[in-house]
Amino acid sequence: MKYFAGRVVSQFVWNSGPLLQLGWSSSDELVCVQEDGRVLLYDMFGTFIRTFGMGKEASDVRVVDCRIFDNGPNTGVIVLTETRRFFVVSNIAVNSVVLRSMGEIPGMTTFKPSCWAVVCQDRDIQVFLAKESELFVVDKSSHFQQVPVNLNEQTRGFVAIAVSPNQKHMALVTAEGIIAIKSTEIDSDPYCVFDSKSPTIQPKQLAWCGNSAVVGYWEKAGSHILLMIGPKKDWINYRFDSAVYLGNIPPDSRKTDRLTERETGKQAE
């Protein structure tokens, strides 16, 4: 079901495979990613456009996570398979998509990243991923590098990560509830470290509000809490009676999508 400024413009019955992710492309196409690695594209009126796959490995072993991301004027899709490998298509608009595998860190096949995010700068695609208390970056040239975070205190691990719309900043949340905001430059130190006072309950969602504030969503003892943090540790929180969904929607976009039978994103603790 698709909405435009609150008005339903189209709906259709989903009769394909298990759906993992929904999103919109830069050319207003609905992007649907299935667990078998198939990507299906529809126009905003529900008319099927085309489909492509994310490779044989994704089809054989199943996709466990994915991201639909902006890559300059284009839209890309990246998937994480059950075998802990990343595969990326940097531009879904072409009829013959180019599939590439991303680099791997040693021992990656034995663990699932606790959180990960895509960074695109000058058409260069990188994946930042956390292995417990360690942060790594991998790219399309099969390189990997450990990223120093340089927190003052030890952490059991990173549980959430979000990248700003301009791709220049990232926010990380530790298992102890510490929020660290830093540049996406690999050797940079955090310029803001904030204690959310939530050492036992992890955020259900983490997103950016523009390029200058980070928003986290927690559920605690029946409360639904949004916490917004600025770069100078200024903050404000909001409480809601029901669950909240955080979405990074471009200012000129009024489209949303919803599945009535299968929920594709959850929030809350």
Side-chain angles (χ1 to χ4, degrees):
M1 187 176 295
K2 301 183 185 67
Y3 298 85
F4 182 85
R7 176 173 58 89
V8 178
V9 295
S10 66
Q11 58 184 354
F12 62 94
V13 176
W14 183 258
N15 54 14
S16 191
L19 191 59
L20 189 66
Q21 185 73 44
L22 285 175
W24 289 96
S25 75
S26 57
S27 55
D28 293 336
E29 295 173 343
L30 179 64
V31 184
C32 309
V33 184
Q34 297 184 166
E35 290 182 354
D36 62 359
R38 298 303 301 176
V39 181
L40 295 89
L41 305 179
Y42 298 82
D43 69 16
M44 66 182 303
F45 299 105
T47 302
F48 176 76
I49 300 174
R50 65 183 179 280
T51 183
F52 62 88
M54 296 300 292
K56 186 176 187 303
E57 183 170 329
S59 176
D60 290 345
V61 302
R62 194 173 72 92
V63 173
V64 295
D65 204 358
C66 70
R67 301 286 187 271
I68 301 165
F69 61 93
D70 292 330
N71 182 19
N74 304 316
T75 299
V77 172
I78 185 167
V79 300
L80 175 64
T81 67
E82 189 74 63
T83 50
R84 310 299 187 246
R85 297 185 66 197
F86 289 101
F87 294 92
V88 62
V89 169
S90 59
N91 182 9
I92 65 172
V94 297
N95 289 326
S96 298
V97 299
V98 178
L99 181 70
R100 296 179 181 272
S101 61
M102 302 292 286
E104 302 176 45
I105 64 175
M108 187 169 169
T109 57
T110 62
F111 77 93
K112 180 181 178 180
S114 55
C115 57
W116 61 280
V118 182
V119 172
C120 298
Q121 292 181 322
D122 300 323
R123 306 287 180 95
D124 183 27
I125 300 173
Q126 297 175 313
V127 174
F128 285 80
L129 65 148
K131 178 186 178 183
E132 299 176 346
S133 61
E134 298 177 313
L135 185 66
F136 294 88
V137 61
V138 297
D139 60 26
K140 292 190 299 182
S141 57
S142 298
H143 295 148
F144 78 92
Q145 184 175 346
Q146 187 166 356
V147 180
V149 180
N150 298 327
L151 294 174
N152 291 330
E153 299 179 4
Q154 291 278 356
T155 176
R156 300 192 308 273
F158 298 105
V159 299
I161 182 173
V163 176
S164 64
N166 65 6
Q167 307 292 292
K168 294 182 179 180
H169 313 276
M170 70 168 61
L172 296 148
V173 182
T174 72
E176 296 77 20
I178 302 299
I179 301 172
I181 306 175
K182 69 184 293 292
S183 167
T184 51
E185 295 292 331
I186 292 176
D187 294 326
S188 65
D189 289 334
Y191 58 80
C192 176
V193 179
F194 184 90
D195 188 352
S196 70
K197 306 298 183 183
S198 181
T200 58
I201 301 177
Q202 298 176 2
K204 293 296 183 179
Q205 295 182 75
L206 187 70
W208 281 80
C209 181
N211 295 304
S212 57
V214 177
V215 182
Y217 170 66
W218 284 260
E219 287 184 353
K220 298 182 181 180
S223 296
H224 305 271
I225 303 170
L226 284 183
L227 174 64
M228 180 180 292
I229 306 115
K232 297 182 179 179
K233 298 186 181 180
D234 45 329
W235 62 275
I236 188 171
N237 63 16
Y238 304 89
R239 293 178 180 268
F240 296 86
D241 295 330
S242 59
V244 174
Y245 180 80
L246 301 177
N248 289 320
I249 301 175
D252 60 346
S253 176
R254 298 181 181 180
K255 303 179 296 297
T256 61
D257 45 67
R258 180 168 67 91
L259 284 184
T260 56
E261 296 298 325
R262 179 184 175 93
E263 194 173 287
T264 59
K266 292 186 180 282
Q267 57 288 90
E269 288 165 21

